[in-house]
Amino acid sequence: MTGPFGAAPFEAVADGVRLALRVTPKASRNAIAGLAATASGGTALKVTVTAVPENGKANEAVVKLLAKAWKLPKTSLTVVAGATDRNKIVHVAGDPADLMRRLTALVETAKPDTGKSDGGNSDG
């Protein structure tokens, strides 16, 4: 069963793009860390932030990080679901075609997380 976002962590909507995120607060650095499979069979963009998950601080850090990475104004990004959860849906306001092009390029450079560590010891 495929989640609402299918193989990509985003989908076009009338006034922008909806993006599925898996956020890790209190991380060692702010970063877009690749892709992760969701429980519903879809894909989410993994994001790590140094902010604590209190009073919306982690959400603010996520919005700031994504806005900077995609060269968008912070006001164009809104957490629309999962404000108090690690799994979030962010709405990115703007031209859906342009945003889909930008996000597709980003996803192509992100490596999916298979849940396996490459620990340097592979017996094939």
Side-chain angles (χ1 to χ4, degrees):
M1 180 173 171
T2 303
F5 294 92
F10 51 85
E11 67 178 356
V13 294
D15 58 344
V17 172
R18 294 279 169 105
L19 178 67
L21 300 179
R22 174 72 176 168
V23 178
T24 302
K26 297 193 298 184
S28 60
R29 65 189 181 110
N30 293 330
I32 297 171
L35 300 174
T38 64
S40 62
T43 304
L45 188 65
K46 291 194 315 182
V47 177
T48 61
V49 293
T50 57
V52 295
E54 296 172 0
N55 303 323
K57 291 178 184 173
N59 290 341
E60 290 174 18
V62 167
V63 167
K64 183 176 178 181
L65 172 67
L66 296 178
K68 183 177 180 182
W70 299 328
K71 297 176 177 59
L72 296 168
K74 288 186 282 188
T75 55
S76 68
L77 285 87
T78 308
V79 177
V80 294
T84 60
D85 192 339
R86 288 178 183 260
N87 298 305
K88 302 182 185 304
I89 304 295
V90 172
H91 177 78
V92 184
D95 175 39
D98 178 51
L99 291 169
M100 290 294 284
R101 205 170 24 254
R102 287 191 201 191
L103 295 176
T104 299
L106 173 75
V107 167
E108 287 174 355
T109 62
K111 294 182 179 178
D113 182 6
T114 59
K116 296 179 183 176
S117 173
D118 189 20
N121 188 7
S122 174
D123 291 333

